[in-house]
Amino acid sequence: MDSATSDPGGPARPPLRATASDGVKIVVVGGFGVGKTTMVRAVSEIRPLSTEEVMTQAGVGVDDTAGARDKTTTTIAFDFGRISLDEELVLYLFGAPGQKRFWFLWDQLFSGTLGVVVLVDAHRIEDSWYAVDRLEHHGIPFIVARNRFEPVAHTLEELREALDLPEGIPVVECDARDRESSKQVLLALVDHLYALSSAPSARETAS
């Protein structure tokens, strides 16, 4: 039976289909102000749970706002949303905080996740190095999505080289503000996870 919940005083949330049988946890990580909250909000079919708070004087000298000077709010725990990709597959999305002082939460968010989207600001590529390093350390599958708010000079292949990514990791373009563009990123991750699960293991290849 389909079920729906609603927020007090707000519109009813779309029901989770009765045919939904597979739920997959996906985490979106990246540097401060790269667009993680924006992506979750854009693609979620329910009203996202957000822990954004107004940035205060206490963050001055602690949070690096270079490249995101117009940002007035910040995620202090995580964002959560949901999207049904088809009749059976549902993705539960968690947007991780980008500031260094909240990175300790990342390992907890990674628990139980099948895959991760590393969202990259085309003008602050170095902010993504930590995310790539942690994911490689944990052995968690991931793809890289360049959030393109405006034209940039370098290509996706140059981005791959800058992040020192092997050819097997997909690198895609997106606009985190656009629902369809963000959905295509998630589909690229699902396709990547499927390809990894379908690939023969080293033992099978050897035999």
Side-chain angles (χ1 to χ4, degrees):
M1 175 181 295
D2 288 347
S3 63
T5 59
S6 61
D7 295 313
R13 295 179 177 180
L16 186 62
R17 293 188 179 98
T19 55
S21 59
D22 295 312
V24 178
K25 178 182 178 182
I26 300 297
V27 178
V28 182
V29 301
F32 176 67
V34 75
K36 300 178 296 296
T37 297
T38 299
M39 173 173 279
V40 173
R41 286 178 175 174
V43 80
S44 180
E45 63 193 15
I46 63 173
R47 178 179 296 175
L49 167 66
S50 179
T51 56
E52 280 215 321
E53 295 290 345
V54 175
M55 296 176 66
T56 64
Q57 196 67 22
V60 175
V62 178
D63 297 327
D64 183 4
T65 59
R69 299 187 184 279
D70 294 333
K71 188 171 174 61
T72 58
T73 60
T74 184
T75 300
I76 60 173
F78 61 85
D79 302 303
F80 173 76
R82 185 192 81 199
I83 179 173
S84 300
L85 290 186
D86 55 33
E87 293 295 321
E88 297 183 351
L89 182 60
V90 179
L91 302 186
Y92 296 97
L93 309 176
F94 292 81
Q99 310 96 304
K100 290 183 179 180
R101 57 192 170 114
F102 294 130
W103 281 355
F104 71 92
L105 294 172
W106 285 21
D107 287 351
Q108 299 175 45
L109 287 176
F110 289 160
S111 178
T113 188
L114 288 187
V116 173
V117 173
V118 178
L119 199 57
V120 177
D121 184 324
H123 302 288
R124 294 182 290 135
I125 296 175
E126 65 279 2
D127 290 354
S128 305
W129 291 340
Y130 178 80
V132 171
D133 179 72
R134 294 309 299 163
L135 291 168
E136 290 179 340
H137 172 77
H138 286 284
I140 300 174
F142 67 94
I143 69 169
V144 170
R146 181 172 67 179
N147 189 12
R148 187 171 181 175
F149 287 132
E150 57 188 37
V152 291
H154 57 268
T155 65
L156 292 181
E157 196 55 39
E158 289 171 334
L159 173 61
R160 179 187 299 280
E161 294 177 2
L163 293 176
D164 195 23
L165 300 174
E167 286 297 325
I169 297 178
V171 179
V172 299
E173 194 97 77
C174 76
D175 183 341
R177 301 166 296 184
D178 182 77
R179 186 176 196 275
E180 186 58 33
S181 181
S182 296
K183 183 177 179 181
Q184 290 304 313
V185 171
L186 300 177
L187 286 170
L189 176 58
V190 170
D191 288 344
H192 180 53
L193 294 175
Y194 179 78
L196 291 176
S197 67
S198 302
S201 64
R203 180 177 299 177
E204 291 173 337
T205 303
S207 62

